[in-house]
């Protein structure tokens, strides 16, 4: 008996040890030398921070209106935003898989038997109880009432949990988070390209309009 207990303890220790194991290959990020002084804005954590309202520095109401209209109605940006929401939802699902899954199922049923069958059951039960002798000085009721229709309530609880022994679930979540970051970067690229394109076209149109005005004055 003592030997069996030792074996059980060893198996439990091995199981707990394997839970923390991760067999995914480590990602080696290459180091890129950057200038000592950055000319772009940085956040408090030292990371690059995009200044999304740069076009407002021109203080041009018409340009602001055009950029906001483009950001609101561009199909490529809508697709990128929808993909980002999808990946973020998947990341939340992968995180939920690391915790126990608890569910429940409820059911309500109502049944009714025909009156002929109900009366037959009551008669048979009454005849059976009538044959039972009553104790001295006591009266035995032989009438039986059947609940008809009958309502039944059922509640079923379930719980499940998957042990992440080899780091499968954690690695899947890391993969989804990396994909979410890439999709977010793609969304930023679409937004930057869209805003810069609208701004360039607007100022090109202003320059062309001014050139036309100057040519008309020469005529």
């Amino acid at each position: 008996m003592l030997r069996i207990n030792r074996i059980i303890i060893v198996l439990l220790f091995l199981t707990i040890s394997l839970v923390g194991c991760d067999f995914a290959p480590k990602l080696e990020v290459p180091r890129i030398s950057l200038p000592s002084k950055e000319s772009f804005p940085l956040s408090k954590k030292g990371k690059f921070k995009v200044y999304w309202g740069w076009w407002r520095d021109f203080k041009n109401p018409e340009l602001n209106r055009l950029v906001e209209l483009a950001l609101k109605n561009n199909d490529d940006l809508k697709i990128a935003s929808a993909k980002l929401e999808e990946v973020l939802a998947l990341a939340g699902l992968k995180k939920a898989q690391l915790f126990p899954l608890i569910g429940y199922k409820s059911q309500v049923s109502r049944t009714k038997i025909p009156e002929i069958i109900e009366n037959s059951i009551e008669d048979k039960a009454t005849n059976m109880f009538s044959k039972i002798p009553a104790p001295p000085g006591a009266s035995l009721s032989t009438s039986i009432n059947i609940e008809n229709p009958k309502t039944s309530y059922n509640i079923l609880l379930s719980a499940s949990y998957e042990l992440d022994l080899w780091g499968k679930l954690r690695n899947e979540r890391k993969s989804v988070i990396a994909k979410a970051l890439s999709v977010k970067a793609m969304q930023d690229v679409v937004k930057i390209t869209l805003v810069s394109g609208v701004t360039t076209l607007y100022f090109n149109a202003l320059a062309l309009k001014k050139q036309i005005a100057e040519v008309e004055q020469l005529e």
Side-chain angles (χ1 to χ4, degrees):
M1 186 65 181
L2 181 60
R3 183 178 181 182
I4 295 176
N5 292 336
R6 290 180 178 179
I7 295 175
I8 294 175
I9 293 173
V10 172
L11 291 175
L12 289 175
F13 177 77
L14 291 176
T15 303
I16 295 173
S17 301
L18 289 174
V19 170
C21 294
D22 189 354
F23 294 91
K26 294 183 179 180
L27 177 62
E28 296 182 359
V29 181
R31 294 185 178 182
I32 302 175
S33 57
L34 298 175
S36 57
K37 294 183 179 180
E38 296 83 1
S39 59
F40 44 79
L42 297 176
S43 64
K44 294 181 179 179
K45 295 182 179 180
K47 296 183 179 180
F48 176 70
K49 182 180 180 181
V50 179
Y51 175 46
W52 290 110
W54 59 267
W55 66 88
R56 296 190 181 92
D57 293 340
F58 293 106
K59 298 180 181 180
N60 190 314
E62 183 63 19
L63 176 61
N64 295 339
R65 186 185 69 84
L66 292 175
V67 171
E68 292 176 0
L69 189 64
L71 292 175
K72 183 178 180 181
N73 298 292
N74 185 263
D75 292 335
D76 293 335
L77 187 58
K78 289 181 180 179
I79 293 174
S81 300
K83 288 183 178 179
L84 180 59
E85 292 180 0
E86 180 183 356
V87 176
L88 291 177
L90 183 59
L93 179 61
K94 293 299 181 180
K95 182 179 180 180
Q97 291 179 351
L98 298 174
F99 302 96
L101 179 62
I102 300 176
Y104 71 93
K105 180 180 180 182
S106 60
Q107 181 180 4
V108 180
S109 61
R110 189 173 178 85
T111 57
K112 182 178 181 180
I113 59 177
E115 295 183 358
I116 298 177
I117 299 177
E118 179 185 1
N119 295 332
S120 175
I121 295 175
E122 290 181 352
D123 294 340
K124 289 182 180 180
T126 301
N127 293 333
M128 182 181 65
F129 279 102
S130 62
K131 296 179 181 180
I132 300 175
S139 60
L140 183 64
S141 176
T142 58
S143 62
I144 297 227
N145 295 325
I146 298 177
E147 182 182 356
N148 190 29
K150 183 179 180 181
T151 304
S152 302
Y153 303 91
N154 297 320
I155 298 178
L156 178 63
L157 298 177
S158 61
S160 61
Y161 180 66
E162 181 179 356
L163 289 175
D164 193 14
L165 296 178
W166 315 109
K168 173 187 173 183
L169 299 179
R170 287 171 290 174
N171 292 327
E172 287 181 353
R173 182 170 178 265
K174 291 179 181 178
S175 175
V176 174
I177 292 176
K179 185 177 180 181
L181 293 175
S182 65
V183 174
K184 180 64 171 62
M186 181 185 68
Q187 183 192 34
D188 293 342
V189 170
V190 173
K191 188 175 180 180
I192 292 173
T193 305
L194 178 62
V195 173
S196 61
V198 172
T199 305
T200 303
L201 289 175
Y202 177 75
F203 283 109
N204 287 341
L206 289 181
L208 183 60
K209 184 177 180 180
K210 187 175 182 179
Q211 292 176 4
I212 294 174
E214 291 179 356
V215 171
E216 291 178 347
Q217 290 179 0
L218 298 174
E219 295 180 351

